[in-house]
PDB file of all heavy atoms in Angstrom:
ATOM      1  N   SER A   8      52.122 -29.913 -23.772  1.00 28.00           N
ATOM      2  CA  SER A   8      53.233 -29.383 -22.993  1.00 28.00           C
ATOM      3  C   SER A   8      52.709 -28.799 -21.706  1.00 28.00           C
ATOM      4  O   SER A   8      51.542 -28.512 -21.565  1.00 28.00           O
ATOM      5  CB  SER A   8      53.977 -28.290 -23.776  1.00 28.00           C
ATOM      6  OG  SER A   8      53.151 -27.170 -23.958  1.00 28.00           O
ATOM      7  N   SER A   9      53.611 -28.669 -20.743  1.00 31.00           N
ATOM      8  CA  SER A   9      53.276 -27.972 -19.516  1.00 31.00           C
ATOM      9  C   SER A   9      54.127 -26.725 -19.463  1.00 31.00           C
ATOM     10  O   SER A   9      55.069 -26.572 -20.215  1.00 31.00           O
ATOM     11  CB  SER A   9      53.552 -28.863 -18.299  1.00 31.00           C
ATOM     12  OG  SER A   9      54.909 -29.214 -18.277  1.00 31.00           O
ATOM     13  N   ALA A  11      55.970 -23.638 -16.926  1.00 35.00           N
ATOM     14  CA  ALA A  11      56.318 -23.052 -15.637  1.00 35.00           C
ATOM     15  C   ALA A  11      55.648 -21.702 -15.535  1.00 35.00           C
ATOM     16  O   ALA A  11      55.503 -20.989 -16.506  1.00 35.00           O
ATOM     17  CB  ALA A  11      57.840 -22.889 -15.533  1.00 35.00           C
ATOM     18  N   ASP A  35      41.215   2.528 -17.447  1.00 92.00           N
ATOM     19  CA  ASP A  35      41.436   3.040 -16.089  1.00 92.00           C
ATOM     20  C   ASP A  35      40.277   3.953 -15.753  1.00 92.00           C
ATOM     21  O   ASP A  35      39.942   4.864 -16.521  1.00 92.00           O
ATOM     22  CB  ASP A  35      42.753   3.816 -15.990  1.00 92.00           C
ATOM     23  CG  ASP A  35      43.963   2.900 -15.968  1.00 92.00           C
ATOM     24  OD1 ASP A  35      43.870   1.826 -15.339  1.00 92.00           O
ATOM     25  OD2 ASP A  35      44.999   3.258 -16.563  1.00 92.00           O
ATOM     26  N   VAL A  51      40.372  -6.202 -27.929  1.00 98.00           N
ATOM     27  CA  VAL A  51      39.070  -6.835 -27.721  1.00 98.00           C
ATOM     28  C   VAL A  51      38.447  -7.219 -29.058  1.00 98.00           C
ATOM     29  O   VAL A  51      37.906  -8.322 -29.218  1.00 98.00           O
ATOM     30  CB  VAL A  51      38.131  -5.898 -26.934  1.00 98.00           C
ATOM     31  CG1 VAL A  51      36.697  -6.439 -26.943  1.00 98.00           C
ATOM     32  CG2 VAL A  51      38.615  -5.737 -25.499  1.00 98.00           C
ATOM     33  N   CYS A  64      34.326 -10.088 -17.069  1.00 96.00           N
ATOM     34  CA  CYS A  64      34.052 -10.422 -15.672  1.00 96.00           C
ATOM     35  C   CYS A  64      34.589  -9.287 -14.806  1.00 96.00           C
ATOM     36  O   CYS A  64      35.807  -9.055 -14.762  1.00 96.00           O
ATOM     37  CB  CYS A  64      34.732 -11.746 -15.355  1.00 96.00           C
ATOM     38  SG  CYS A  64      34.323 -12.460 -13.776  1.00 96.00           S
ATOM     39  N   MET A  82      33.659   4.751 -25.003  1.00 95.00           N
ATOM     40  CA  MET A  82      35.120   4.765 -25.183  1.00 95.00           C
ATOM     41  C   MET A  82      35.539   4.117 -26.498  1.00 95.00           C
ATOM     42  O   MET A  82      36.671   4.295 -26.944  1.00 95.00           O
ATOM     43  CB  MET A  82      35.803   4.019 -24.034  1.00 95.00           C
ATOM     44  CG  MET A  82      35.695   4.666 -22.682  1.00 95.00           C
ATOM     45  SD  MET A  82      36.607   3.680 -21.442  1.00 95.00           S
ATOM     46  CE  MET A  82      35.950   4.373 -19.918  1.00 95.00           C
ATOM     47  N   VAL A  91      28.625  -9.411 -20.100  1.00 97.00           N
ATOM     48  CA  VAL A  91      29.305  -8.832 -18.944  1.00 97.00           C
ATOM     49  C   VAL A  91      28.719  -9.418 -17.664  1.00 97.00           C
ATOM     50  O   VAL A  91      27.499  -9.419 -17.469  1.00 97.00           O
ATOM     51  CB  VAL A  91      29.163  -7.291 -18.930  1.00 97.00           C
ATOM     52  CG1 VAL A  91      29.768  -6.711 -17.651  1.00 97.00           C
ATOM     53  CG2 VAL A  91      29.830  -6.685 -20.158  1.00 97.00           C
ATOM     54  N   ALA A  97      24.117 -11.028  -9.708  1.00 95.00           N
ATOM     55  CA  ALA A  97      24.290 -12.347  -9.088  1.00 95.00           C
ATOM     56  C   ALA A  97      23.775 -12.333  -7.644  1.00 95.00           C
ATOM     57  O   ALA A  97      23.124 -13.281  -7.189  1.00 95.00           O
ATOM     58  CB  ALA A  97      25.765 -12.750  -9.120  1.00 95.00           C
ATOM     59  N   GLY A 155      22.992  -6.646  15.559  1.00 91.00           N
ATOM     60  CA  GLY A 155      21.655  -6.829  16.104  1.00 91.00           C
ATOM     61  C   GLY A 155      20.962  -8.083  15.600  1.00 91.00           C
ATOM     62  O   GLY A 155      19.879  -8.432  16.080  1.00 91.00           O
ATOM     63  N   LYS A 206      34.385 -11.832  -8.096  1.00 95.00           N
ATOM     64  CA  LYS A 206      35.733 -12.409  -8.018  1.00 95.00           C
ATOM     65  C   LYS A 206      36.294 -12.215  -6.612  1.00 95.00           C
ATOM     66  O   LYS A 206      36.079 -11.168  -6.028  1.00 95.00           O
ATOM     67  CB  LYS A 206      36.653 -11.736  -9.050  1.00 95.00           C
ATOM     68  CG  LYS A 206      36.210 -11.919 -10.498  1.00 95.00           C
ATOM     69  CD  LYS A 206      37.070 -11.126 -11.461  1.00 95.00           C
ATOM     70  CE  LYS A 206      36.914  -9.628 -11.270  1.00 95.00           C
ATOM     71  NZ  LYS A 206      37.660  -8.815 -12.246  1.00 95.00           N
ATOM     72  N   GLY A 260      43.730 -10.539 -16.213  1.00 98.00           N
ATOM     73  CA  GLY A 260      43.389  -9.484 -15.269  1.00 98.00           C
ATOM     74  C   GLY A 260      44.607  -8.765 -14.727  1.00 98.00           C
ATOM     75  O   GLY A 260      45.740  -9.193 -14.936  1.00 98.00           O
ATOM     76  N   ARG A 272      42.145 -21.161  -8.923  1.00 93.00           N
ATOM     77  CA  ARG A 272      41.450 -22.040  -7.976  1.00 93.00           C
ATOM     78  C   ARG A 272      40.223 -22.697  -8.604  1.00 93.00           C
ATOM     79  O   ARG A 272      39.758 -23.734  -8.134  1.00 93.00           O
ATOM     80  CB  ARG A 272      41.047 -21.252  -6.727  1.00 93.00           C
ATOM     81  CG  ARG A 272      42.209 -20.949  -5.794  1.00 93.00           C
ATOM     82  CD  ARG A 272      41.728 -20.462  -4.442  1.00 93.00           C
ATOM     83  NE  ARG A 272      41.020 -19.196  -4.532  1.00 93.00           N
ATOM     84  CZ  ARG A 272      41.616 -18.004  -4.546  1.00 93.00           C
ATOM     85  NH1 ARG A 272      42.931 -17.937  -4.485  1.00 93.00           N
ATOM     86  NH2 ARG A 272      40.895 -16.901  -4.610  1.00 93.00           N
ATOM     87  N   VAL A 280      48.247  -8.791 -16.464  1.00 98.00           N
ATOM     88  CA  VAL A 280      48.762  -7.687 -17.268  1.00 98.00           C
ATOM     89  C   VAL A 280      49.467  -6.690 -16.353  1.00 98.00           C
ATOM     90  O   VAL A 280      49.110  -6.533 -15.179  1.00 98.00           O
ATOM     91  CB  VAL A 280      47.639  -6.977 -18.056  1.00 98.00           C
ATOM     92  CG1 VAL A 280      47.090  -7.875 -19.144  1.00 98.00           C
ATOM     93  CG2 VAL A 280      46.520  -6.515 -17.123  1.00 98.00           C
ATOM     94  N   ILE A 311      47.991 -15.031 -27.521  1.00 94.00           N
ATOM     95  CA  ILE A 311      46.912 -16.001 -27.762  1.00 94.00           C
ATOM     96  C   ILE A 311      46.750 -16.283 -29.254  1.00 94.00           C
ATOM     97  O   ILE A 311      46.653 -17.451 -29.674  1.00 94.00           O
ATOM     98  CB  ILE A 311      45.587 -15.483 -27.172  1.00 94.00           C
ATOM     99  CG1 ILE A 311      45.668 -15.433 -25.634  1.00 94.00           C
ATOM    100  CG2 ILE A 311      44.408 -16.357 -27.614  1.00 94.00           C
ATOM    101  CD1 ILE A 311      44.513 -14.710 -24.989  1.00 94.00           C
TER     102      ILE A 311
END
Side-chain angles (χ1 to χ4, degrees):
S8 66
S9 60
D35 285 322
V51 169
C64 189
M82 293 182 195
V91 175
K206 299 174 294 184
R272 285 193 296 276
V280 291
I311 293 170

